[in-house]
Amino acid sequence: MSKPRNIALWAVQVLLFVTFVGTAVWKLVTPVEQLAARMPWMANTQLLYVTALFDALGGVGVLLPTLTRIKPKLAALAAVGLITLQLAAVVFHFSRGEGANTPFNFFLIALAAFVAWGRR
């Protein structure tokens, strides 16, 4: 693997880790009332906590295997999981008429696809 591509993969993996783990922490520590005021679907605490769990697992999974060099190919599988999670979020938002809220989801899909491809 070329050095620039490896550096880019590391940078994207760290970015995905920070984004997804940070989002999970935000969902868990911010009062539900505040979250629901910004995004009404977050009033459903079961959905909120399940998505926080998947965010955290995906964020850790996309970085930790490569970082520890223990089963590094699992990072590619975690990236596929993040793609799946974001595709589900896109479908969810479109089903609620919130299509305008999805560009960042598509950006995350592209980043995770790069990691899935690069770490396969």
Side-chain angles (χ1 to χ4, degrees), residues 16-82:
L16 288 171
F17 170 81
V18 169
T19 300
F20 281 94
V21 172
T23 298
V25 170
W26 173 67
K27 288 176 180 177
L28 295 173
V29 301
T30 305
V32 173
E33 299 77 27
Q34 284 182 338
L35 294 172
R38 293 183 66 190
M39 290 177 249
W41 72 266
M42 290 187 171
N44 179 341
T45 55
Q46 286 181 322
L47 182 58
L48 176 66
Y49 295 141
V50 166
T51 59
L53 174 65
F54 287 142
D55 288 341
L57 291 174
V60 169
V62 81
L63 181 63
L64 194 61
T66 309
L67 189 64
T68 63
R69 296 184 181 156
I70 299 172
K71 304 260 186 199
K73 300 284 184 194
L74 290 177
L77 292 176
V80 171
L82 291 176

